[in-house]
DNA sequence: GAGAATTGCGCAATCA
DNA sequence: GTGATTGCGCAATTCT
């Protein structure tokens, strides 16, 4: 943790930071010259026409709004992070489901294969019966249970 | 907990913008007090012991490092965003795959069902042959010798 | 039109 | 020491 402290020489204001955020603060000292949309754009002509009031960074209102926005930002980011995590979880979930399904397919395929073979065998037997000489089987413990 | 570094509106500060990034958007004008002592820390005892050098925000080196880091940050964030998007895509991909698999399972299941029914029918036919009285028996000229 | 939610961005601390 | 990450605040913008 590092701390850099801040302090304002401006009369009246001091460390703003209303609640204990426990988090660090960053500083973006801004002089509030009557000016240019301070935050707005600066490179370009930037007129300070935006709003008649320069919005003092010292103003209580300003700090209050900042604080609120900071909260909102934190909330939003948390939500975003949560969503991302959920998505990852969803991926794993789907992957599992996928494996499960593939396994099932494999099983069904095998079952089908067995049944088909039985059919073929049977067909052969029939043929044999009609025209002896084949290789018939004698046992027919057909098991179709599953 | 919080570190705040902030400059004051003390006379003699200079605003430095980094430069007009191509985008030329928001810039954080920085007041740069000439010195460590002055702007440095103030609230807490905060010693300026942090490294023998307070790191002038004016220093070319500082600006250079900042610039590099900003690049890195941008890059990292882009990458992160990309990854998130890929993950979303992966989800859709898996969902599709899943549907495909489910369809296949449905098909296989149906096939199996048909085959099993055939088997049952056949079994019945056999029974009928052994013990007449049944109703069906149209196609099974088999006279199994069992 | 106000307030909440998002989003892009820079700073600084920390990781690797 | 350097690039990569991450948390955080600011301000612009978008959504409600």
């Amino acid at each position: 943790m590092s701390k850099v402290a801040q302090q304002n020489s401006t009369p009246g204001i001091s460390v703003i930071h209303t609640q204990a955020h426990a988090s660090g603060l960053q500083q973006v000292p801004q002089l509030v010259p009557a000016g240019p949309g301070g935050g707005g754009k600066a490179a370009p002509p930037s007129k300070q026409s935006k709003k008649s009031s320069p919005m003092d960074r010292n103003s209580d209102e300003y700090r209050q709004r900042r604080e609120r926005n900071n909260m909102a930002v934190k909330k939003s980011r948390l939500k975003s992070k949560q969503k991302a995590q959920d998505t990852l979880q969803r991926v794993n979930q789907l992957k599992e489901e996928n494996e499960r399904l593939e396994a099932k397919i494999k099983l069904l395929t095998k079952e089908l294969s067995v049944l088909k073979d039985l059919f073929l065998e049977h067909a052969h037997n029939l043929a044999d019966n009609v025209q002896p000489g084949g290789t018939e089987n004698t046992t027919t413990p057909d098991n179709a249970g599953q």
Side-chain angles (χ1 to χ4, degrees), chain A residues 71-121:
Chain A
M71 299 285 250
V73 168
K74 255 195 270 190
K75 185 176 171 184
S76 181
R77 284 174 180 156
L78 208 70
K79 180 179 171 184
S80 175
K81 218 166 275 187
Q82 184 62 49
K83 212 171 64 179
Q85 208 158 358
D86 287 357
T87 303
L88 276 180
Q89 208 167 339
R90 184 103 174 82
V91 166
N92 288 328
Q93 189 179 24
L94 285 172
K95 277 206 276 196
E96 266 178 53
E97 179 84 353
N98 233 322
E99 276 176 47
R100 202 171 61 65
L101 295 179
E102 301 241 42
K104 186 161 185 174
I105 285 179
K106 193 168 178 181
L107 183 71
L108 289 175
T109 300
K110 179 133 195 170
E111 252 182 87
L112 251 181
S113 169
V114 170
L115 280 187
K116 282 183 180 173
D117 279 355
L118 278 182
F119 261 121
L120 283 184
E121 196 181 319

Side-chain angles (χ1 to χ4, degrees), chain A residues 18-73:
Chain A
T18 327
Q19 59 188 180
H21 251 313
S23 61
L25 220 204
Q26 165 161 315
Q27 102 263 23
V28 178
Q30 190 74 297
L31 294 189
V32 180
K41 352 4 270 298
S46 84
K47 327 77 110 71
Q48 51 101 251
S49 60
K50 201 73 149 186
K51 233 108 182 195
S52 50
S53 80
M55 173 50 88
D56 293 357
R57 300 258 206 296
N58 290 338
S59 126
D60 254 24
E61 231 235 55
Y62 170 72
R63 271 333 301 172
Q64 211 160 329
R65 285 189 332 131
R66 282 307 324 141
E67 198 75 27
R68 267 171 132 55
N69 179 245
N70 289 342
M71 299 285 250
V73 168

